[in-house]
Amino acid sequence: SKSAGKNRITLYDAELDAERLRKAAIEAGIRKGLEGDEFDVVYQPIIEARSGAINSLEALVRWPRRPEGPLMPDQFIDVAEASGLIHPLGQFVLKKACNDLREVPGLRLSVNLSPAQFRDPELEAKVAKTLAETGFPTDRLELEVTEGYLIENPARAVAAIGNLKALGVSMALDDFGTGYSSIGYLRRYHFDKIKIDKSMAGTVDRDPQAAALVAGTVAIAQALNISVTAEGVETEDQARLLRLAGCQYLQGYYYSRPKPLLEVLAIQKHMTEV
Ligand code: C2E
Ligand code: CA
Ligand code: CA
Ligand code: CA
């Protein structure tokens, strides 16, 4: 009926308002949280498939000291991007991770960059400055990007990736297999590595199509001299299949969840002792 339609519209408006309020509250919270030291960085190991050793640590932001209770990145990164707060937040993560890992020999560091950070014409200068200030070796840093910005502004993306690589940083294409990621991208942007998304890698043991797609991705990557990390590895079976498929690096809960630095280093110490 007409009145039910009207009620639905009213409800819809109310939901939109609630969503806007929620986002505004999170935005204000991020701003306060950056000033109040509410954020942390945790690390998830990336394993070299052949040796089983930790090759790299991926830095992932956490918000454990939020007064209203912790939130995971999926619940606040989009707000940080839309509001521009991803710039100070991303800078916090990069700086903290470089400082944390500077004194840890033999481990590479992977840091996520959001599309909004790519939009910043100062991105390369900021990365160079942070590397200089923290003394973190440039060739041990890898930046992970998703394809969003590559589509939005290909010319700027080519330039930014080229400039970052010229600094000595390596570049990884994250979440490969979730969007439009194509062979064309891999050639055009000169990525050093692709990370096969967990929706594909984490189903190789159940889904023959996923297994075929992983094999095809590895073949393309090999042809282009790009290395492959499989994400979201949760079982021994998946790890074995992905290693056999030719993925050089493996990452997922099967090896370790993201953890505070000292806990991850304890795993590494244990691994080198056994
Ligand atoms: P991502 O970069 O694709 O990171 C991988 C996500 O998958 C992480 O979630 C990680 O905890 C989770 N994961 C790892 N192994 C497994 C597994 O075996 N199974 C399952 N189900 N999940 C696994 P997290 O930490 O919640 O981060 C989610 C997303 O938020 C990240 O996806 C990234 O896009 C974004 N993010 C996190 N930290 C940062 C940051 O510092 N900067 C930016 N720009 N984005 C970040
Ligand atoms: Ca990532
Ligand atoms: Ca990913
Ligand atoms: Ca992701």
Side-chain angles (χ1 to χ4, degrees):
S1 73
K2 206 172 175 188
S3 85
K6 192 170 169 233
N7 283 340
R8 188 151 54 233
I9 288 167
T10 313
L11 181 64
Y12 183 63
D13 281 351
E15 279 171 4
L16 273 182
D17 283 346
E19 181 61 11
R20 230 172 316 193
L21 279 175
R22 188 187 70 85
K23 289 196 164 157
I26 290 175
E27 182 182 333
I30 297 171
R31 196 169 275 122
K32 270 182 55 198
L34 281 166
E35 285 164 14
D37 190 33
E38 293 173 15
F39 291 96
D40 274 343
V41 178
V42 292
Y43 298 93
Q44 187 178 33
I46 300 171
I47 307 295
E48 198 202 1
R50 196 179 311 204
S51 65
I54 300 178
N55 172 265
S56 176
L57 299 181
E58 180 175 357
L60 294 158
V61 70
R62 291 293 179 267
W63 195 359
R65 291 180 293 283
R66 178 173 173 267
E68 300 81 11
L71 279 188
M72 290 300 278
D74 285 340
Q75 298 168 286
F76 65 85
I77 287 286
D78 59 332
V79 179
E81 283 192 34
S83 62
L85 288 169
I86 193 70
H87 299 292
L89 186 63
Q91 199 55 37
F92 161 80
V93 172
L94 180 63
K95 192 169 181 180
K96 174 94 173 78
C98 285
N99 276 320
D100 276 355
L101 288 197
R102 180 185 45 218
E103 307 297 345
V104 182
L107 280 189
R108 299 174 54 76
L109 167 64
S110 302
V111 176
N112 293 286
L113 277 188
S114 85
Q117 288 173 281
F118 257 89
R119 230 168 271 137
D120 178 4
E122 301 289 305
L123 171 68
E124 301 96 300
K126 285 178 182 170
V127 170
K129 186 161 176 270
T130 304
L131 286 165
E133 283 174 359
T134 59
F136 188 82
T138 307
D139 61 0
R140 271 170 53 199
L141 179 65
E142 181 161 275
L143 296 173
E144 300 189 358
V145 304
T146 50
E147 67 183 14
Y149 190 75
L150 311 184
I151 297 172
E152 183 189 313
N153 192 342
R156 164 66 186 145
V158 167
I161 290 171
N163 292 338
L164 289 164
K165 288 191 62 163
L167 289 177
V169 173
S170 58
M171 300 299 300
L173 180 58
D174 206 350
D175 298 349
F176 189 85
T178 55
Y180 301 92
S181 1
S182 69
I183 303 177
Y185 282 3
L186 296 178
R187 295 194 61 167
R188 173 156 194 193
Y189 296 102
H190 302 289
F191 284 103
D192 301 286
K193 185 184 283 178
I194 58 182
K195 299 189 75 173
I196 301 183
D197 191 68
K198 52 179 172 278
S199 58
M200 203 196 290
T203 53
V204 279
D205 52 339
R206 282 164 274 157
D207 179 355
Q209 205 166 41
L213 285 170
V214 167
T217 302
V218 168
I220 290 163
Q222 275 170 356
L224 295 171
N225 206 12
I226 296 172
S227 62
V228 176
T229 302
E231 296 189 302
V233 183
E234 293 187 348
T235 68
E236 187 178 358
D237 229 26
Q238 290 166 4
R240 184 177 50 79
L241 290 168
L242 290 162
R243 192 173 50 238
L244 285 174
C247 299
Q248 288 100 324
Y249 303 102
L250 305 171
Q251 179 179 16
Y253 294 168
Y254 173 63
Y255 296 99
S256 170
R257 292 197 172 242
K259 288 178 176 178
L261 180 69
L262 292 178
E263 289 177 38
V264 175
L265 295 182
I267 300 175
Q268 190 202 21
K269 186 162 182 292
H270 177 77
M271 283 173 60
T272 52
E273 278 166 0
V274 292

